[in-house]
Amino acid sequence: QQQVKQSPQSLIVQKGGISIINCAYENTAFDYFPWYQQFPGKGPALLIAIRPDVSEKKEGRFTISFNKSAKQFSLHIMDSQPGDSATYFCAASIQGGSEKLVFGKGTKLTVNP
Amino acid sequence: AAGVIQSPRHLIKEKRETATLKCYPIPRHDTVYWYQQGPGQDPQFLISFYEKMQSDKGSIPDRFSAQQFSDYHSELNMSSLELGDSALYFCASSYNQGPGNTIYFGEGSWLTVV
């Protein structure tokens, strides 16, 4: 059972466009929601993260929107660039315990020039 | 800045052999995690250590074991290797300073079982 469901599986966007990736979770004990970016053959790298006490967090071109009642959160990449082409994983964890990350299945983003 | 160091980067083993992966966490990080990522898959949590004690266990086969040493480096030992063990193995580390700890991943160790 996938604890964090991510969509779409793949996404193609034109340069300058907005990329939107959605995630949903079931476990209401999750209280930390990071997004990781992974390039082929590399380790995941933290992009941005949010806690459920805020509904939105923005860092540069990256924004997380969080809907606690719907148990959903999303990543918006503004002004998408070819260099953003990578696989994006949403994740969730429970703070105060082992804090292990539970990942979504990932979204392969391709930004065309 | 120092990152999580993993070795070896690539490893080829035959079925039923044993493999050992090493991980050196970021200095002063007190928590180490091991993840397994199959081709096109999301990383799956295997096991974690906090201050050299096992803190959590995920979908780690009984054939696998891990430990964290006094210098905080960690090793993942895999025995009786199977073809299905071929994957990218990530070590990650964090400093348990309170809510919202950032977990940093290494570059991974590619294991191919033939």
Side-chain angles (χ1 to χ4, degrees), chain A residues 36 38 95 98-99 101 104, chain B residues 33 35 37 42 56 100-101 103:
Chain A
Y36 279 81
Q38 185 178 29
Q95 301 297 289
S98 72
E99 304 187 7
L101 293 169
Chain B
Y33 308 82
Y35 283 82
Q37 186 177 30
D42 55 300
D56 201 352
N101 300 325
I103 296 178

Side-chain angles (χ1 to χ4, degrees), chain A residues 51-108:
Chain A
R51 293 181 55 79
D53 51 350
V54 298
S55 59
E56 187 175 282
K57 183 175 181 179
K58 183 177 181 179
E59 290 184 2
R61 297 185 295 111
F62 302 94
T63 300
I64 298 180
S65 296
F66 187 84
N67 186 330
K68 187 175 181 178
S69 60
K71 292 185 288 186
Q72 295 175 348
F73 58 110
S74 61
L75 175 69
H76 295 231
I77 305 174
M78 311 299 288
D79 187 26
S80 298
Q81 300 296 312
D84 296 331
S85 297
T87 298
Y88 292 80
F89 291 97
C90 62
S93 68
I94 301 171
Q95 301 297 289
S98 72
E99 304 187 7
K100 69 185 180 196
L101 293 169
V102 178
F103 286 90
K105 287 291 188 185
T107 297
K108 185 175 182 180

Side-chain angles (χ1 to χ4, degrees), chain A residues 22-33:
Chain A
N22 300 299
C23 284
Y25 63 97
E26 288 297 323
N27 188 349
T28 54
F30 286 141
D31 57 2
Y32 180 65
F33 303 90

Side-chain angles (χ1 to χ4, degrees), chain B residues 63-114:
Chain B
R63 299 177 288 106
F64 292 11
S65 65
Q67 57 182 325
Q68 187 178 28
F69 295 85
S70 58
D71 64 352
Y72 289 90
H73 95 272
S74 178
E75 295 184 3
L76 178 65
N77 297 293
M78 300 173 284
S79 62
S80 302
L81 288 169
E82 301 174 357
L83 295 178
D85 296 328
S86 296
L88 188 55
Y89 290 83
F90 288 109
C91 175
S93 73
S94 69
Y95 175 52
N96 197 347
Q97 60 185 334
N101 300 325
T102 298
I103 296 178
Y104 296 88
F105 285 77
E107 293 286 90
S109 293
W110 281 100
L111 171 65
T112 302
V113 181
V114 297

